[in-house]
Amino acid sequence: MMQLTITTAGRTVTIACGALLLDMDGTLVDSQTCVERKWRDWCRRHGVDVDELLRVSHGLQLADTVRLMAPHLDLAAEVADLVRREEQDTDGLRPVAGAARLLAALPPRRWAVVTSAWRRLAEIRLRHLGLPVPRVLVTADDTAHGKPAPDGYLMAAARLGCPPADCVVVEDSPAGIESGRAAGMRVIAVATTFAIEALEALKADWAVDDLTGVTVREPVAAG
């Protein structure tokens, strides 16, 4: 088991966990500039309300967002175009504060990334920022049901050989928090995309401003 120290609202809490499962966009990677640029252009071309889309799209897979906001469009064609545009755009990407330090401290067999992005995009973004690609990377390519369904987090726990109750999820979006809780896991909310008060209202177990508030206190000696 690992010991995690969580610093929030002037207090420090230490918890034990078997594995740390992290979202990517908004949690490890600040991709807001890229994501909003993509969606603003798409909404302008299709006459979709961009403010409403941005309100509901965080944490969702591309196809789920398109299906929700413009069900009349050719889903496969729209997703293919969005995929191409997003893979070519790294302008404005940056690591979330504390991400590199936290990942460097985690034993390789005790953490995973669970993202609504597809595998190629996840690898592009992590490598562009010099962040490690984990041994266990669960993406939209791996699950039939994206967040807020628990499938991705349950798959990551199984691949790590860790019971869900021993896993801690780190998420920045309502859909991600709901996904982690539905998987029976404890959740740390990161207030990089939504206000910390809004995330606490979603019944995350803890809320921090960024990943500088999460420290591996006593990592296990060997994977």
Side-chain angles (χ1 to χ4, degrees), residues 27 39 49 67 81 83 88 100 104 140 155 159 203 206 212:
T27 299
W39 284 127
D49 185 335
R67 190 181 294 112
D81 182 59
V83 164
Q88 295 173 354
M155 181 178 291
R159 290 181 179 178
K203 300 182 179 180
W206 306 276
T212 61

Side-chain angles (χ1 to χ4, degrees), residues 79-153:
V79 169
D81 182 59
L82 288 165
V83 164
R84 177 184 60 80
R85 291 170 183 265
E86 200 157 6
E87 288 181 350
Q88 295 173 354
D89 187 5
T90 57
D91 186 25
L93 289 179
R94 60 181 182 178
V96 168
R101 174 198 53 78
L102 176 61
L103 296 185
L106 289 167
R109 293 185 177 87
R110 290 292 179 265
W111 71 283
V113 168
V114 179
T115 175
S116 296
W118 53 100
R119 179 169 294 273
R120 177 174 165 80
L121 181 66
E123 292 179 351
I124 286 172
R125 287 185 171 169
L126 291 171
R127 288 180 173 139
H128 178 75
L129 296 176
L131 297 175
V133 176
R135 296 184 183 189
V136 175
L137 173 60
V138 178
T139 73
D141 300 323
D142 301 308
T143 58
H145 304 290
K147 300 171 187 177
D151 302 37
Y153 282 115

Side-chain angles (χ1 to χ4, degrees), residues 10-207:
R11 65 188 181 94
T12 298
V13 179
T14 300
I15 63 171
C17 74
L20 196 64
L21 312 181
L22 302 108
D23 172 51
M24 184 183 73
D25 289 303
T27 299
L28 293 172
V29 176
D30 181 350
S31 57
Q32 186 170 353
T33 299
C34 292
V35 170
E36 289 198 6
R37 183 165 50 237
K38 168 198 69 182
W39 284 127
R40 288 186 185 281
D41 177 68
W42 185 82
C43 287
R44 185 169 52 251
R45 288 186 284 116
H46 294 296
V48 173
D49 185 335
V50 66
D51 292 328
E52 176 63 14
L53 182 145
L54 293 176
R55 187 183 69 81
V56 302
S57 64
H58 290 285
L60 300 185
Q61 295 181 9
L62 275 182
D64 291 334
T65 300
V66 173
R67 190 181 294 112
L68 177 66
M69 298 301 299
H72 59 286
L73 296 178
D74 183 326
L75 181 63
E78 293 302 322
V79 169
D81 182 59
L82 288 165
V83 164
R84 177 184 60 80
R85 291 170 183 265
E86 200 157 6
E87 288 181 350
Q88 295 173 354
D89 187 5
T90 57
D91 186 25
L93 289 179
R94 60 181 182 178
V96 168
R101 174 198 53 78
L102 176 61
L103 296 185
L106 289 167
R109 293 185 177 87
R110 290 292 179 265
W111 71 283
V113 168
V114 179
T115 175
S116 296
W118 53 100
R119 179 169 294 273
R120 177 174 165 80
L121 181 66
E123 292 179 351
I124 286 172
R125 287 185 171 169
L126 291 171
R127 288 180 173 139
H128 178 75
L129 296 176
L131 297 175
V133 176
R135 296 184 183 189
V136 175
L137 173 60
V138 178
T139 73
D141 300 323
D142 301 308
T143 58
H145 304 290
K147 300 171 187 177
D151 302 37
Y153 282 115
L154 291 173
M155 181 178 291
R159 290 181 179 178
L160 290 172
C162 185
D166 290 340
C167 294
V168 171
V169 165
V170 187
E171 270 283 357
D172 74 305
S173 72
I177 292 170
E178 185 178 342
S179 176
R181 288 182 58 80
M185 302 173 183
R186 292 164 290 170
V187 179
I188 303 171
V190 183
T192 51
T193 307
F194 294 88
I196 200 164
E197 296 80 10
L199 297 177
E200 289 173 334
L202 295 169
K203 300 182 179 180
D205 295 276
W206 306 276

